[in-house]
Amino acid sequence: MASSVNALSAVPAKSWVPQFVICSMIWGSGFALIKIGVEAGIEPGWVAFWRCFFGALVLWGLVLVRRLGMPRDLRVWGHALVVGTVLNAFPFTLFAWGEQYIDSVTAGVWNSTIPLFTLVWVLVMLPDEKPNLRRLLGIATGLCGALVVLGVWSGGQSSLMKGSVICLVATASYGLGYTYTRRYLSGGDIPAITLTAIQVSWAALELALVAPLLSGAPHWGGKGPMAAMVVLGAVGTGLAYMWNLSVIRAVGSTVASTVAYLTPLWAAIVGVFFLNESLGWNTVVGALLIVSGVLLTRTASSRPVAGNKPGAGAGAGTEAGTEAGTEAGTEAEAVPPPAEEKREEGTVQPARP
């Protein structure tokens, strides 16, 4: 954390804060765009496909413009396939499905639980990571926040429970994806944009095959909803990824990952003022408890990442709304501190909504 604090004092805020805020706005608004799509009749499988398809187009455009290379190791392509499944195709579909039952504000709150799920997967999959009292307290606090959002004291609404469970399965998948990325794709010097383009392309290909089976023929939903899908993919997965990469280069992934704390705020603002969604007191209190739980899990660690494989950069340039860069809120960054971040490639990205 000290390196990030030093970076903040050394790098002018005006050089990275605007991009940081814009990214939080884009990813926080993503839940409203999903809601627009599903309410217009675009089935969840196709919402996920369009996100990946338009995102892949932008990312490959960045790869071509920057003349970035392709990995030759087939294992990297295989790992990217796995990450594309659990970090894009599966959770993107689930969030769209969940928003058929809950509003975009609640979906944004559930998205903020990703660091907690990531921590659980890290403790399970990475033997070098040990639980401590602060991390366990953070997980417990986040769980309490989830129960408050659900309003368990009143029994909860069946639709709220169903949609929430679906979204929580999605966030658990994100957590698995980030842990897998940390273990197999967080080392080496392959450009991060290249790996993310491959990862998202794998997800688009999977969804092109699966969406017709799950959701039937595509339903366009009209110009407005399709425009929402274009923005969701091209801007949220493509352009915002590039801007977030600039923030990481300026101040490091620890600082950049704190965008996760702003995305629920933007999700609430957009949902309430543009989609006329309600914002109950329990949603606000629950969201604060969840974010507090995430903050509690941010314990420093100087150990090297276990299981890093040579020749693989970090992918994870997806849309989920929190922080793969510090793996579940821990500060064991998979990249050097900002003062040493001389290349744009090879950094692990926060999750997107």
Side-chain angles (χ1 to χ4, degrees):
M1 176 62 94
S3 61
S4 298
V5 173
N6 293 337
L8 281 173
S9 62
V11 179
K14 66 180 181 181
S15 68
W16 62 273
V17 169
Q19 292 173 318
F20 178 87
V21 174
I22 290 173
C23 285
S24 71
M25 293 173 62
I26 291 172
W27 292 328
S29 303
F31 303 102
L33 297 177
I34 295 172
K35 191 68 173 180
I36 291 172
V38 296
E39 287 192 341
I42 302 177
E43 292 293 327
W46 290 111
V47 171
F49 170 75
W50 294 123
R51 294 178 69 175
C52 294
F53 176 75
F54 291 116
L57 288 181
V58 172
L59 290 168
W60 282 117
L62 295 173
V63 170
L64 293 175
V65 169
R66 301 187 179 196
R67 298 180 180 180
L68 302 176
M70 292 289 106
R72 297 182 180 181
D73 190 343
L74 293 180
R75 292 176 299 177
V76 174
W77 290 81
H79 290 316
L81 171 61
V82 175
V83 174
T85 302
V86 298
L87 208 56
N88 297 106
F90 187 60
F92 283 8
T93 302
L94 288 179
F95 259 108
W97 183 20
E99 286 200 47
Q100 291 182 326
Y101 304 99
I102 61 175
D103 55 39
S104 65
V105 174
T106 306
V109 171
W110 293 136
N111 187 78
S112 64
T113 66
I114 294 175
L116 301 178
F117 279 107
T118 307
L119 175 58
V120 172
W121 284 111
V122 165
L123 296 176
V124 171
M125 295 177 62
L126 302 181
D128 286 351
E129 294 290 342
K130 303 298 182 182
N132 56 38
L133 180 60
R134 181 173 174 176
R135 285 181 170 182
L136 295 177
L137 180 60
I139 293 175
T141 302
L143 176 61
C144 291
L147 295 177
V148 171
V149 173
L150 290 173
V152 291
W153 56 87
S154 61
Q157 302 175 5
S158 59
S159 59
L160 173 62
M161 294 294 292
K162 183 175 183 178
S164 296
V165 169
I166 293 171
C167 289
L168 285 172
V169 173
T171 58
S173 182
Y174 279 131
L176 175 60
Y178 293 131
T179 308
Y180 189 95
T181 299
R182 175 176 180 177
R183 187 175 181 89
Y184 296 108
L185 289 176
S186 62
D189 56 1
I190 297 175
I193 294 179
T194 301
L195 278 176
T196 305
I198 295 171
Q199 165 193 324
V200 175
S201 297
W202 275 127
L205 178 59
E206 291 173 336
L207 289 165
L209 299 174
V210 174
L213 301 177
L214 296 177
S215 306
H219 174 68
W220 305 109
K223 294 181 180 179
M226 281 308 300
M229 297 301 97
V230 173
V231 173
L232 185 64
V235 179
T237 303
L239 295 179
Y241 169 80
M242 179 179 64
W243 293 327
N244 182 69
L245 202 57
S246 297
V247 176
I248 289 179
R249 292 184 70 190
V251 291
S253 59
T254 297
V255 174
S257 69
T258 58
V259 71
Y261 311 141
L262 295 181
T263 50
L265 173 63
W266 290 112
I269 292 174
V270 174
V272 170
F273 289 98
F274 293 94
L275 299 183
N276 296 319
E277 296 178 345
S278 60
L279 184 63
W281 69 266
N282 59 308
T283 302
V284 176
V285 173
L288 291 174
L289 284 172
I290 290 171
V291 172
S292 298
V294 172
L295 289 170
L296 283 172
T297 65
R298 295 178 64 86
T299 54
S301 173
S302 58
R303 292 189 303 273
V305 175
N308 281 359
K309 303 297 182 183
T318 65
E319 302 177 31
T322 116
E323 53 192 23
T326 51
E327 307 305 339
T330 66
E331 293 172 8
E333 297 186 9
V335 292
E340 300 175 14
E341 287 181 3
K342 298 186 187 281
R343 67 170 185 266
E344 171 178 350
E345 301 82 10
T347 50
V348 180
Q349 298 301 306
R352 319 290 189 250

